[in-house]
Amino acid sequence: MTDDDVLAWLTDSDPSLRWKVERDLLDAPEHQWRATRARVAHEGFGAQLLAAQGEDGLWAGGAHFPAGFEWGDPQPWTATSWSLMSLREWGVDAEALRPDTVGLLERNARWEYDDLPFWGGEVDACINAFTLASGAWLGADVSGIRNWFVEHQLGDGGWNCAWVEGSTKSSFHSTLNAVIGILDDEWRTGGTPELHAARKGAEEYLLERQLLYRLSTGERHVWAHHLGYPFRHRYSALRALDHFRAAAQFDGTAPDPRLADAIERVRAAHAALVGRRSGVTPDGQDGGMDAAVLATTSKGLLRGFRRDRTAVFLGIPFAQPPVGRLRFGAPVPVEPWDGERDATAYGPTAQRGDAGITLIPEPSVPGDATLNVNVFTPADREPDAALPVLVWIHGGGYTSGSPASRWYDGDAFARDGVITVVISYRIGFDGFGMIEGAPSNRGLRDQIAALEWVRDEIGAFGGDPARVTAWRSRRRSGRSRPTRLGASPRAWRSSRGSRPTATGSRPCPKNGWSNCRKRQVNPRADADSRR
């Protein structure tokens, strides 16, 4: 896939994206991209989202969460704050919304946190940043939020949505959201001198860390150069660079040289993507991000790739494809293969019905060989390291979820000497439907088969089969899964020398939910971002 192929694909997209492609990538005349932007309110995503606004001015009946939202469920991104942010970013004119949307939200919308009024903001820096920008766009009085940012800026220059939980260190995620919202307010309204100074101080916080690194150790955050859209609240170097480009244009300043490393990271990610599509990477290697890495299992040789300090092996089959006569049967061990097997791309995922908009990206990869695992292991481990192993079992209420989510990679654990294995299993009717004459709980049988694969093969990746922890997702199906696995004698036997540990993350505490309720980002990444 070449750049021309990508541009052709982007120009055939929804007007909400196409006008930005025309303006920023194709250097189209202003009249052309403005004409495309004017179509956003009348067709495609923009028209659909405008039509979803209720007569009370809200979307989905709530401020940041839809009406009837149950804490612990995934954030569906459908409520008012997210909808306003999307429409604003897509370039929709304020006049396209319901008449007096500002007044409707003032009268009808209250934040889920302490029932606070909508345009006054709440205690969360990210939510306040979204609301500041949306208020400036619609002409609301958001002076209280402007003052809030000045008063709640932390000593190191940024902000952290977890300050209400006692955090005194800023977060990459929260700080970037804040400066983006503040700049949007300045661009539309002029802002205030105090808020401008706060933005410059927060930008210095990010620049001092070159958008990528932990200040205390110089270590690069593993999530900092992850790319994807929509951004929502998430940090990425690409999103940060886009902000600094806009800030330099607004302030009339030259780009800061400390952006150089982040720019190179984004370019390298682009080059690696083109290389994977074409089969050749910039340095001439075949299909890998960095140098190829090999692992020899009892079934055959695997070729993965090295990403910084992590050796990555993706889409390794642990059972035969569950199709044909095996569709509703127990998992059958995979047959050996000859030569090298490519393990540089995610394998097929169990196909599901429409799960709607999900909290965690859930990529769907077509194909039959859906019973596979992904392994993330320290690249520089000793040959006989015998490292501890974390087996991650994705959630999804037994009907959705994907092991191919980039949120489930094991870079952070590999950095600390822990191997991560992300497993797949059948979901929905294929995995758990009752069929006369067919084995029950086929999805759980798949999980046990994956644990048996870990027992037999993890040594090839430097792992210790006697030190295996099965970790569940916080989502609904995950709450019971490790308990059921622990009740299975066969699961006990999947770990040599010890019963595998089954554990999981806790739901948000009743007296401290503000930090985990709305973003529910990777807790490891968010904790790392505060250093």
Side-chain angles (χ1 to χ4, degrees), residues 86-388:
S86 294
L87 291 169
R88 174 172 48 81
E89 291 179 348
W90 294 345
V92 172
D93 290 333
E95 292 75 17
L97 278 67
R98 284 189 177 275
D100 193 29
T101 288
V102 170
L104 289 171
L105 295 181
E106 179 69 36
R107 294 186 293 273
N108 301 321
R110 311 288 292 188
W111 293 111
E112 291 81 3
Y113 188 94
D114 285 353
D115 201 37
L116 296 170
F118 189 82
W119 294 118
E122 50 128 281
V123 301
D124 187 285
C126 299
I127 291 177
N128 284 349
F130 307 153
T131 310
L132 175 66
S134 294
W137 168 50
L138 297 177
D141 179 7
V142 287
S143 56
I145 301 179
R146 295 190 185 103
N147 294 334
W148 185 95
F149 274 108
V150 174
E151 295 167 358
H152 289 81
Q153 191 167 23
L154 297 175
D156 55 8
W159 290 271
N160 193 324
C161 295
W163 73 272
V164 291
E165 313 297 335
S167 179
T168 59
K169 299 293 185 181
S170 295
S171 157
F172 272 50
H173 307 272
S174 303
T175 300
L176 180 60
N177 284 319
V179 295
I180 289 174
I182 293 170
L183 180 63
D184 198 293
D185 176 59
E186 289 187 75
W187 174 64
R188 295 178 189 276
T189 71
T192 66
E194 295 79 10
L195 195 55
H196 175 79
R199 170 172 67 85
K200 300 300 288 185
E203 289 170 348
E204 181 61 27
Y205 166 87
L206 295 172
L207 288 168
E208 190 176 19
R209 293 156 177 80
Q210 299 179 64
L211 311 189
L212 298 169
Y213 303 104
R214 182 180 290 110
L215 187 62
S216 57
T217 65
E219 186 176 12
R220 181 173 54 80
H221 291 299
V222 296
W223 37 259
H225 64 286
H226 293 178
L227 308 182
Y229 185 83
F231 297 119
R232 308 296 189 196
H233 56 272
R234 303 181 188 96
Y235 183 92
S236 77
L238 177 61
R239 187 181 180 215
L241 286 168
D242 192 54
H243 165 76
F244 278 98
R245 176 188 60 82
Q249 292 176 341
F250 181 80
D251 296 332
T253 57
D256 193 290
R258 290 172 290 181
L259 300 173
D261 274 12
I263 293 172
E264 288 306 311
R265 276 284 166 186
V266 172
R267 287 174 174 168
H270 169 263
L273 176 62
V274 173
R276 289 199 299 276
R277 292 290 186 265
S278 63
V280 179
T281 55
D283 56 4
Q285 297 161 6
D286 180 16
M289 281 189 170
D290 294 311
V293 291
L294 301 176
T296 303
T297 71
S298 65
K299 302 299 184 182
L301 186 63
L302 292 165
R303 176 170 56 85
F305 62 90
R306 176 170 179 149
R307 183 171 62 213
D308 296 325
R309 289 183 291 175
T310 306
V312 182
F313 298 86
L314 303 175
I316 307 169
F318 66 84
Q320 295 183 31
V323 295
R325 64 180 180 82
L326 299 180
R327 179 177 179 184
F328 299 113
V332 176
V334 69
E335 295 292 333
W337 58 83
D338 296 324
E340 283 185 3
R341 187 184 187 102
D342 181 76
T344 61
Y346 286 108
T349 59
Q351 300 304 296
R352 60 190 187 276
D354 183 10
I357 302 174
T358 58
L359 167 67
I360 295 173
E362 296 182 354
S364 179
V365 181
D368 293 333
T370 56
L371 299 181
N372 58 73
V373 300
N374 307 314
V375 178
F376 305 84
T377 183
D380 299 320
R381 66 190 182 279
E382 296 295 329
D384 55 351
L387 299 173

Side-chain angles (χ1 to χ4, degrees), residues 6-151:
V6 174
L7 287 174
W9 176 67
L10 289 173
T11 52
D12 192 35
S13 60
D14 189 86
S16 60
L17 175 63
R18 186 163 68 247
W19 72 268
K20 296 183 180 181
V21 174
E22 293 172 345
R23 184 192 65 181
D24 298 337
L25 299 180
L26 299 178
D27 295 322
E30 182 174 352
H31 68 85
Q32 178 179 333
W33 62 258
R34 285 190 178 278
T36 302
R37 189 174 70 177
R39 296 167 57 185
V40 176
H42 305 288
E43 60 183 88
F45 298 152
Q48 294 176 40
L49 194 51
L50 285 169
Q53 185 181 16
E55 294 183 359
D56 57 359
L58 280 72
W59 278 262
H64 202 67
F65 299 90
F69 180 80
E70 295 183 7
W71 305 118
D73 283 352
Q75 165 65 273
W77 318 110
T78 55
T80 303
S81 62
W82 302 110
S83 298
L84 289 175
M85 183 167 66
S86 294
L87 291 169
R88 174 172 48 81
E89 291 179 348
W90 294 345
V92 172
D93 290 333
E95 292 75 17
L97 278 67
R98 284 189 177 275
D100 193 29
T101 288
V102 170
L104 289 171
L105 295 181
E106 179 69 36
R107 294 186 293 273
N108 301 321
R110 311 288 292 188
W111 293 111
E112 291 81 3
Y113 188 94
D114 285 353
D115 201 37
L116 296 170
F118 189 82
W119 294 118
E122 50 128 281
V123 301
D124 187 285
C126 299
I127 291 177
N128 284 349
F130 307 153
T131 310
L132 175 66
S134 294
W137 168 50
L138 297 177
D141 179 7
V142 287
S143 56
I145 301 179
R146 295 190 185 103
N147 294 334
W148 185 95
F149 274 108
V150 174
E151 295 167 358

Side-chain angles (χ1 to χ4, degrees), residues 485-525:
L485 286 176
S488 167
R490 185 178 163 198
W492 294 16
R493 295 192 296 270
S494 69
S495 181
R496 293 176 183 159
S498 67
R499 177 177 175 178
T501 302
T503 184
S505 55
R506 296 176 297 170
C508 299
K510 293 181 179 179
N511 60 348
W513 55 270
S514 64
N515 185 38
C516 59
R517 73 202 191 292
K518 66 103 181 67
R519 300 161 303 135
Q520 296 166 352
V521 298
N522 183 325
R524 180 71 175 265

